[in-house]
């Protein structure tokens, strides 16, 4: 339905996309890839406006979240900006935000036996030039690179699909530079990827 041909490279500037209404009043979204209107494989930027909530709902094939701004909450806790969450297949929750928040959300993309629940406050991770592994299941790896220096971004499986969310700083891929607030999906990549010599945060997903 939207950007579901994984053989095609995509680079989107998130600031250029329009917000769209979701089924919940006060919850907006910017779809990046989607297999069906309100179900299935989905990647989005989601905004909870101040004091809004989403009705209780399940995640049949899992949910992966990175909080970009504000504080996101559900009945299990409060998660500030920089938190990485994984809700396992078959899990349920009732999300809300008192002060408002912006999230990067991936729905229904887990392997059925990937049942690990993850809660990581990445603000507590050091700023080394090597990506921090947040989660791995089989060949699917999610990492966060936090650095204030120029650094190479290692790609462990060049023939596998790779995604980058440039949260802060910039990313250089094959001589093209992507500044913060970009989402990039490549069917494969075997060249050189580097960051600039400046504060940088990039979420990297392979496989």
């Amino acid at each position: 339905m939207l950007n579901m041909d994984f053989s095609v490279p995509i680079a989107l500037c998130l600031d250029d996309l329009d917000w769209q209404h979701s089924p919940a009043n006060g919850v907006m979204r910017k779809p990046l890839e989607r297999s069906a209107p309100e179900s299935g494989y989905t990647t989005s930027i989601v905004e909870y406006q101040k004091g809004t909530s989403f009705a209780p709902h399940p995640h049949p094939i899992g949910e992966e979240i990175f909080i970009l701004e504000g504080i996101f909450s559900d009945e299990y806790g409060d998660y500030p900006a920089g938190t990485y969450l994984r809700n396992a297949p078959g899990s349920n929750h009732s999300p809300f935000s008192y002060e408002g928040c912006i999230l990067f959300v991936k729905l229904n993309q887990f392997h059925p036996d990937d049942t690990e629940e993850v809660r990581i406050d990445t603000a507590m991770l050091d700023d080394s030039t090597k990506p921090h592994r947040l989660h791995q299941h089989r060949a699917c790896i999610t990492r966060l690179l936090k650095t204030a220096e120029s650094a190479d971004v290692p790609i462990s499986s060049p023939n596998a699909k790779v995604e980058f969310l440039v949260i802060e700083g910039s990313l250089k891929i094959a001589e093209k530079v992507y500044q913060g607030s970009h989402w990039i999906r490549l069917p494969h990549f075997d060249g050189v990827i580097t960051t600039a010599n400046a504060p940088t945060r990039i979420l990297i997903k392979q496989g």
Side-chain angles (χ1 to χ4, degrees), residues 36-120:
E38 295 299 339
S39 63
Y41 190 111
T42 303
T43 300
S44 303
I45 301 297
V46 177
E47 179 186 30
Y48 280 70
Q49 295 174 358
K50 185 176 180 179
T52 57
S53 62
F54 210 99
H57 59 274
H59 296 294
I61 317 178
E63 178 183 49
E64 184 177 26
I65 298 173
F66 191 89
I67 291 90
L68 299 170
E69 298 178 21
I71 299 176
F72 173 72
S73 302
D74 60 17
E75 62 267 47
Y76 306 110
D78 301 313
Y79 312 106
T83 303
Y84 173 74
L85 307 174
R86 288 181 73 88
N87 296 315
S91 61
N92 295 265
H93 71 158
S94 304
F96 60 93
S97 182
Y98 288 126
E99 70 171 46
C101 62
I102 297 179
L103 318 173
F104 176 68
V105 181
K106 297 182 74 68
L107 291 171
N108 298 318
Q109 300 178 32
F110 288 20
H111 190 280
D113 63 11
D114 182 2
T115 59
E116 183 181 7
E117 298 275 347
V118 178
R119 305 284 186 270
I120 299 174

Side-chain angles (χ1 to χ4, degrees), residues 142-176:
T142 303
R143 297 175 294 164
L144 180 72
L145 177 61
K146 294 174 57 182
T147 180
E149 305 174 19
S150 180
D152 291 339
V153 180
I155 301 300
S156 55
S157 303
N159 293 322
K161 178 170 71 76
V162 59
E163 293 179 48
F164 303 97
L165 179 67
V166 186
I167 303 166
E168 179 183 15
S170 63
L171 186 68
K172 185 177 182 181
I173 305 175
E175 303 305 315
K176 185 171 179 60

